[in-house]
Amino acid sequence: MDYKYIEQLVERYFLCETTLEEEQILRTFFAQSEDSVPAELRQWQPFFAALAPKEMLGDDFTHRILAMTEEAPRVKARTISLNERMRPLLRAAAVVAVILALGQAMHFSTYHANQQADDINYANYKDTYDDPGMAYDQVEDALQLMSEGFSQARQADSLVSVLTLPADTTSLN
C-alpha cells in the first residue's frame, strides 16, 4: 500500500500547512493498531494518538455535575468581623511605629551629641590676615598639636595590638 499521502500530510502538519480535515485524517490513520501502520511512520503514532480527542462531554454532563455537588458535604461559612480582618494590619503598623520611634531617638541623640561637640564660639577668634607671621605661627601650632595627637593614637594602638596578640605572634612585629 502506498503511504506517500500520509507522509506528505505529516510533513505539511509540522510545517503548519494542514487543514482541520487533514489533521483529522492523520489522527484517524494513527489511531489504528500498530500492525496496520507502516514501520517508517510508527514513530509518529504516539504523537498523533495523544492529539486524538478523548472523551466528549455527554448530554448528561450537567446532571452528573449537579449530582456530585449535591452529594458533597456542605461547608458552613464563618463571618469574620472587621476587627479580626484589621488585626494583622494593626500589628504591622505598630511594629513600623516602634522602629520609626527608635530610629528617631537614635538620630536625635547622635545629632545633639555631635552638635555639642562641634559647638565653637567663633566670636573669640581674631582675624590674623593683617599679620601673616602670626597666622603662620598659629597654623604651625595647630599642626603640631595634630601631629602629637596622631603619635599618641599610634602608640596606644600599637600597645593594644601587642596586648591582644598571642605570645608566639608578637615576634612578627
Side-chain angles (χ1 to χ4, degrees):
M1 186 175 233
D2 189 22
Y3 294 105
K4 292 286 183 193
Y5 179 67
I6 297 296
E7 290 175 1
Q8 290 173 357
L9 281 180
V10 169
E11 288 178 21
R12 287 183 53 217
Y13 178 82
F14 288 113
L15 293 174
C16 301
E17 296 175 350
T18 56
T19 63
L20 293 177
E21 292 81 19
E22 292 170 335
E23 291 176 13
Q24 182 61 35
I25 292 170
L26 286 172
R27 284 194 293 270
T28 305
F29 176 77
F30 286 108
Q32 300 174 22
S33 65
E34 283 190 29
D35 298 336
S36 59
V37 176
E40 63 269 5
L41 294 175
R42 280 194 191 135
Q43 64 179 344
W44 303 113
Q45 192 167 14
F47 177 76
F48 285 102
L51 294 177
K54 301 295 181 211
E55 186 178 309
M56 297 295 289
L57 297 178
D59 295 333
D60 64 336
F61 176 74
T62 305
H63 298 293
R64 286 186 291 149
I65 294 296
L66 288 175
M68 287 172 37
T69 58
E70 289 174 0
E71 293 172 4
R74 302 254 179 211
V75 178
K76 185 177 179 181
R78 191 183 120 202
T79 58
I80 300 174
S81 68
L82 182 64
N83 188 16
E84 290 176 13
R85 286 185 191 201
M86 298 301 280
R87 190 171 294 144
L89 183 62
L90 293 174
R91 286 181 181 167
V95 168
V96 169
V98 167
I99 290 172
L100 288 176
L102 289 174
Q104 192 67 9
M106 269 182 62
H107 173 71
F108 182 77
S109 66
T110 57
Y111 175 73
H112 285 295
N114 289 341
Q115 189 178 20
Q116 290 171 356
D118 293 339
D119 194 14
I120 299 173
N121 187 1
Y122 291 104
N124 291 338
Y125 293 102
K126 295 182 177 141
D127 190 15
T128 58
Y129 184 77
D130 293 335
D131 187 7
M134 188 175 178
Y136 178 78
D137 290 339
Q138 286 182 354
V139 169
E140 187 179 23
D141 290 341
L143 291 174
Q144 184 66 32
L145 284 173
M146 284 178 51
S147 174
E148 290 173 5
F150 284 137
S151 296
Q152 290 175 357
R154 187 180 313 130
Q155 288 173 355
D157 191 31
S158 64
L159 181 63
V160 168
S161 65
V162 167
L163 292 177
T164 58
L165 288 176
D168 57 338
T169 59
T170 55
S171 61
L172 296 174
N173 292 336

